[in-house]
Amino acid sequence: MTPAAPRSGLVDRHIAFLEALRGAGLPVSLAEDLDAVAALTALDWSERLVIRDAYAATLVKRRTQRPTFEALFDIYFPRLVGAGAAPYGEEQGPDESGARDNGQALASFRQELLEALTEGDEQRLARLAADMVGRFGAMPGRGPGLSSWSAYTALQRVSPQQLVDQIVSALLAQGRSEEEAQRVSGRRVGAFTRQVEDDARRRIAEEKGPDHVAKVATRPSIDRVDFTAARKSDLEEMRREIYPLARRLATRLTQEHHARRRGPLDFRRTVRASMSTGGVPLTTHHRPKRPHRTELVVLCDVSGSVANFAQFTLLLVFALQDQFQKVRAFTFIDHVHEVTHHFRPGADVVDVMADLAASTSHAALWGRTNYGRALAKFEEAHPDALGPKSSLLILGDARSNYSDLNADVLVRLARSARHAWWLNPEAVRHWGTGDSAARTYGDIVPMVECRNLTQLGEFVHDLAV
Amino acid sequence: MTWFASPADAAERLTAAGYLADAATATTTFLAGALEKPMLVEGPAGVGKTELAKAVARATGSELVRLQCYEGLDEARALYEWNYKKQLLRIQSSHGEQEWSATHDDIFTEEFLLTRPLLTAIRREEPTVLLIDEVDKTDVEVEGLLLEVLSDFQVTIPELGTVSAVRRPLVFLTSNATRELSEAVKRRCLYLHLDYPDAEREREIVASHVPELDDRVAEQLVATIGRLRELELKKAPSIAESVDWARTLIALEIRDLDDKAVNDTLGVVLKHASDHDRAVRELRLNR
């Protein structure tokens, strides 16, 4: 009998890491597992980032999965242990690192953070994030394994959000434009906030084991974040995704149109082409099929609760307008207002969104969402909008503040259009609860759940085909 | 043959071949060689995906075989095809003097075979880099074909038998991600997402392509490009465009990239009128 060979624990960690990735929704198959092992054996284990790149190359197959992967990699293969080998403040002498959390330390820390954020010095920011959690986010426990760290506490204490104005003015002094300075500082503070959260997770993982953290702390990738639950930084990132998404959709649509374009045989062309092969028709030629394009009428609820969702859907429709013969867009809260004229072909997205936001105020007379009123107004004011060639697309959560629903108006509208759909940003399980009229309206027009970019993309694709 | 000794070696030799690879690119390229697996490179247009394959070919002294994908690409264009016209001529010229069975054996021989990039790459005995460019442009059926070729490196031609690779080519697939590739293809590949480089690396790239560009102007150029990428543009400028811009500045003998110079040459970098307007406004060029 041979005793079990001593285990390094590396295999266990590898397996646990893979399990965590699967748990977070990455489809890591056995083939990829073996690839990763092969890759690791081909490499030198001297550098952490090389290992990370090797894991990334073999396990991550989609760009949107990358943040999830990095978060988990940081948990299972942490960058540093505890406060790290070279804690921040070393150059300022030992007394500085001893005074962990007091008013003076906070002030000097914020000063340092301000400088780093203004410069956008990534390495320094990473170090500051680790230090910030260690100093201001510690929640001491009574024994080993009981202490914990809170990114929330640390962020409350230091509140980097309040530094934004100072960063903006510093950036303005560097000659950047107002709007750009706002955006840059917002992004940097957002990124720093995420770093702090990551570091807190890392430390908790150290105490409680990575599996625990991996279960509770991973966020969905950006195309699966709910419109209604998105943070400000998410929204910005999602807006950047809109054009690539629109381009992907457009390419796919053209490809599919082409694939189905092959019409009836063009006999004369085929015979003419067969001359060069001695009368044997090796290749056949076909008449092109005439594509039909839909006219799209979008009716969009822009009240506060669904504003994000409305914004993204309008943006996507705008980006895809050349896929439709004609697009007309209306926004409403309790009053309908046409916004089609903002959708100039080739116009700038940011301008369009700003114009739309500005015109939102016209859509409300009383300020409370009222679907019944809006539908009736639409029927009354724009009777020419819908026709046998148009598709009606209604966007909204169907929460109508217990007002009259005017279901019969929707029936008439749906009848006069060729197709009608309703996109609802709420999860199906919430439909019909409270003041939601989703069930009533859903019986009249097909209602589709649309909570994130992926679902939106899928829907628009089906719509345009 | 081993392609690269280590990630560091890969980085070094790619640099020597004129391609400045970042750490992830070097590591993944090394792994593609070491594990003999195809490598899928995704990323926005113009970040150097195709260039990477070319540079690997240069660095390893291999031949580059390129399959440019497009919508409607089929087996006949990717793998092999019989030269029908020549076969017809052969049949017609024999005027029934020859037995059919002999003719049949005759017309399905090497002489009448047109090898296309995939078969060419597999049959080559010298080191080969196979570049399958813009995979996302093909139809889904072609992916199936690629799967067979990429996993076994062999092709079966009914009339001739199975051709296996004597020496596995190093395969690069590039994609702009306009279409999601199938899980099966992705599973067989190593994956690398190439993105816009950081300012430092971009400056090095520009300098290596346009060495006569002044350091200070290069820095201004890279900073401006970086700011343009931060804007919400329809088409963000790529590395290819920064290099073009650098060349333009040289051609126009512009020694200082001030607002006027940027405004005059912005058309090299931005390809949409609305992007142009936006940039002018955000960078405050119309003073």
Side-chain angles (χ1 to χ4, degrees):
Chain A
M1 289 248 294
T2 49
R7 292 158 65 109
S8 65
L10 262 180
V11 176
D12 293 341
R13 173 106 349 175
H14 169 81
I15 300 286
F17 178 49
L18 258 51
E19 279 300 325
L21 286 177
R22 287 180 189 136
L26 269 71
V28 180
S29 69
L30 184 63
E32 276 141 357
D33 176 357
L34 295 175
D35 280 347
V37 174
L40 294 177
T41 39
L43 284 167
D44 208 11
W45 273 74
S46 58
E47 233 186 296
R48 174 173 175 269
L49 290 184
V50 171
I51 299 301
R52 190 191 66 186
D53 289 339
Y55 264 127
T58 45
L59 302 179
V60 184
K61 304 285 159 102
R62 218 164 258 134
R63 186 178 58 98
T64 45
Q65 295 166 346
R66 186 70 193 220
T68 314
F69 167 82
E70 300 225 332
L72 285 172
F73 185 81
D74 282 349
I75 291 170
Y76 282 84
F77 300 90
R79 183 170 54 88
L80 71 179
V81 177
Y88 151 84
E90 211 174 38
E91 62 271 25
Q92 284 145 314
D95 57 341
E96 181 66 28
S97 55
R100 299 199 55 80
D101 181 7
N102 56 37
Q104 200 207 337
L106 183 62
S108 68
F109 181 85
R110 290 190 63 172
Q111 188 55 41
E112 170 124 24
L113 181 60
L114 178 61
E115 281 167 28
L117 282 171
T118 310
E119 285 161 26
D121 182 344
E122 308 245 328
Q123 283 193 334
R124 193 159 156 208
L125 284 173
R127 211 184 46 198
L128 284 172
D131 189 54
M132 182 166 141
V133 176
R135 277 209 221 190
F136 306 110
M139 304 201 298
R142 263 159 292 170
L146 289 175
S147 60
S148 186
W149 279 268
S150 161
Y152 179 77
T153 317
L155 288 169
Q156 285 289 314
R157 286 277 290 156
V158 181
S159 60
Q161 209 64 42
Q162 285 175 13
L163 294 173
V164 168
D165 289 342
Q166 283 166 278
I167 303 169
V168 168
S169 53
L171 288 174
L172 283 176
Q174 284 176 17
R176 302 225 189 183
S177 71
E178 172 81 36
E179 201 183 328
E180 194 188 348
Q182 286 282 2
R183 204 167 38 226
V184 168
S185 58
R187 189 168 328 130
R188 282 190 191 156
V189 169
F192 180 72
T193 308
R194 263 197 299 279
Q195 266 178 334
V196 170
E197 286 166 355
D198 288 349
D199 196 69
R201 267 205 295 278
R202 173 186 67 78
R203 288 182 195 243
I204 298 169
E206 218 170 275
E207 294 278 342
K208 297 194 173 166
D211 299 346
H212 169 79
V213 182
K215 268 195 209 85
V216 295
T218 38
R219 283 165 42 74
S221 58
I222 196 70
D223 52 354
R224 300 199 178 274
V225 175
D226 278 13
F227 289 124
T228 44
R231 298 190 283 188
K232 196 158 172 284
S233 58
D234 291 335
L235 289 177
E236 242 179 61
E237 208 177 320
M238 282 157 90
R239 251 168 73 159
R240 291 175 165 272
E241 279 295 307
I242 278 283
Y243 255 97
L245 177 67
R247 217 182 37 237
R248 276 202 297 278
L249 275 175
T251 323
R252 216 168 101 195
L253 285 168
T254 347
Q255 273 180 9
E256 285 171 21
H257 274 303
H258 280 209
R260 279 182 290 157
R261 198 179 48 184
R262 239 163 87 117
L265 184 76
D266 187 339
F267 187 71
R268 297 171 60 162
R269 265 190 84 193
T270 307
V271 170
R272 220 177 305 137
S274 71
M275 290 307 172
S276 63
T277 47
V280 185
L282 287 179
T283 46
T284 56
H285 291 266
H286 297 260
R287 290 176 200 285
K289 236 187 205 168
R290 298 274 159 255
H292 82 265
R293 289 197 171 176
T294 13
E295 286 174 15
L296 187 65
V297 178
V298 188
L299 200 55
C300 183
D301 177 3
V302 286
S303 61
S305 56
V306 290
N308 288 338
F309 160 71
Q311 197 189 23
F312 281 107
T313 316
L314 282 178
L315 203 56
L316 188 62
V317 168
F318 165 67
L320 276 173
Q321 55 179 329
D322 51 348
Q323 295 296 323
F324 302 99
Q325 196 173 44
K326 202 164 101 188
V327 176
R328 284 187 77 175
F330 302 86
T331 54
F332 67 87
I333 292 175
D334 56 22
H335 193 80
V336 174
H337 178 66
E338 175 152 16
V339 293
T340 313
H341 55 280
H342 295 307
F343 283 32
R344 295 175 308 275
D348 190 88
V349 200
V350 185
D351 291 348
V352 172
M353 288 335 287
D355 290 350
L356 283 179
S359 69
T360 310
S361 52
H362 297 291
L365 286 180
W366 283 272
R368 302 189 66 179
T369 324
N370 185 331
Y371 279 80
R373 245 191 86 81
L375 290 173
K377 279 281 161 204
F378 175 70
E379 193 187 32
E380 186 189 313
H382 304 284
D384 57 327
L386 293 174
K389 272 161 85 183
S390 46
S391 298
L392 172 66
L393 179 61
I394 304 176
L395 315 170
D397 57 3
R399 292 200 175 269
S400 193
N401 291 309
Y402 302 105
S403 56
D404 185 10
L405 296 178
N406 277 345
D408 53 322
V409 178
L410 185 62
V411 172
R412 282 199 296 278
L413 289 177
R415 256 194 224 134
S416 59
R418 186 152 167 259
H419 296 292
W421 289 275
W422 190 304
L423 287 189
N424 192 331
E426 281 193 329
V428 180
R429 61 177 184 280
H430 296 309
W431 294 4
T433 60
D435 63 342
S436 166
R439 296 284 173 218
T440 317
Y441 286 140
D443 287 340
I444 304 167
V445 292
M447 195 174 275
V448 182
E449 175 192 283
C450 177
R451 290 160 61 201
N452 51 41
L453 284 179
T454 309
Q455 283 179 337
L456 180 60
E458 285 304 318
F459 174 79
V460 174
H461 169 254
D462 295 343
L463 180 71
V465 161
Chain B
M1 153 174 172
T2 52
W3 294 85
F4 295 105
S6 68
D9 177 50
E12 214 169 277
R13 281 162 65 190
L14 283 174
T15 309
Y19 187 94
L20 300 172
D22 60 11
T25 311
T27 307
T28 316
T29 311
F30 160 73
L31 285 175
L35 308 182
E36 294 198 311
K37 281 185 80 78
M39 175 166 156
L40 170 64
V41 193
E42 251 180 18
V47 290
K49 301 186 291 292
T50 306
E51 209 45 50
L52 173 64
K54 290 188 190 164
V56 169
R58 281 199 300 274
T60 54
S62 337
E63 181 91 4
L64 181 77
V65 176
R66 177 168 178 169
L67 172 65
Q68 175 68 47
C69 297
Y70 52 88
E71 185 194 323
L73 177 83
D74 57 1
E75 205 163 321
R77 298 286 158 77
L79 212 50
Y80 71 90
E81 192 174 14
W82 290 107
N83 193 340
Y84 301 119
K85 294 179 188 174
K86 217 170 159 190
Q87 285 175 331
L88 269 174
L89 276 176
R90 173 74 191 78
I91 295 168
Q92 285 169 353
S93 69
S94 63
H95 288 296
E97 289 155 20
Q98 208 175 2
E99 280 291 305
W100 165 245
S101 59
T103 314
H104 176 269
D105 289 345
D106 241 23
I107 60 172
F108 288 110
T109 52
E110 195 70 20
E111 194 194 341
F112 299 97
L113 187 70
L114 295 173
T115 60
R116 302 296 186 199
L118 288 183
L119 186 59
T120 311
I122 283 181
R123 295 214 300 185
R124 275 179 56 86
E125 286 170 18
E126 298 80 40
T128 311
V129 170
L130 170 62
L131 166 63
I132 304 178
D133 215 4
E134 308 199 37
V135 191
D136 52 334
K137 295 278 189 316
T138 58
D139 309 320
V140 182
E141 296 78 47
V142 178
E143 273 182 37
L145 174 72
L146 287 178
L147 276 185
E148 185 193 344
V149 176
L150 295 185
S151 52
D152 301 334
F153 289 95
Q154 63 176 37
V155 174
T156 306
I157 303 172
E159 296 85 356
L160 290 183
T162 303
V163 182
S164 324
V166 189
R167 170 175 222 153
R168 286 195 170 196
L170 189 54
V171 187
F172 287 85
L173 297 95
T174 74
S175 156
N176 287 331
T178 50
R179 176 167 68 79
E180 200 58 78
L181 298 175
S182 73
E183 289 297 327
V185 166
K186 290 195 164 183
R187 200 163 53 235
R188 279 167 182 77
C189 297
L190 297 179
Y191 180 84
L192 174 70
H193 185 266
L194 268 187
D195 219 328
Y196 301 120
D198 54 30
E200 181 58 27
R201 204 165 73 84
E202 179 147 29
R203 206 173 49 70
E204 285 170 16
I205 294 170
V206 170
S208 78
H209 281 272
V210 192
E212 58 273 38
L213 190 71
D214 191 59
D215 273 356
R216 198 174 54 89
V217 181
E219 209 152 295
Q220 287 173 328
L221 185 150
V222 168
T224 315
I225 290 275
R227 277 164 74 180
L228 287 174
R229 281 184 196 141
E230 279 177 8
L231 306 178
E232 275 179 58
L233 297 178
K234 283 185 184 160
K235 167 74 182 76
S238 64
I239 302 181
E241 271 138 7
S242 1
V243 173
D244 281 350
W245 203 10
R247 294 217 172 98
T248 311
L249 295 182
I250 292 291
L252 296 177
E253 297 184 352
I254 295 174
R255 302 243 157 64
D256 182 23
L257 197 58
D258 54 10
D259 287 355
K260 186 181 173 307
V262 172
N263 203 3
D264 290 348
T265 53
L266 205 56
V268 181
V269 198
L270 298 180
K271 311 289 165 76
H272 287 274
S274 65
D275 284 0
H276 203 115
D277 293 347
R278 165 141 233 98
V280 166
R281 217 170 335 139
E282 296 271 338
L283 304 183
R284 309 227 167 150
L285 295 172
N286 47 356
R287 276 181 290 199

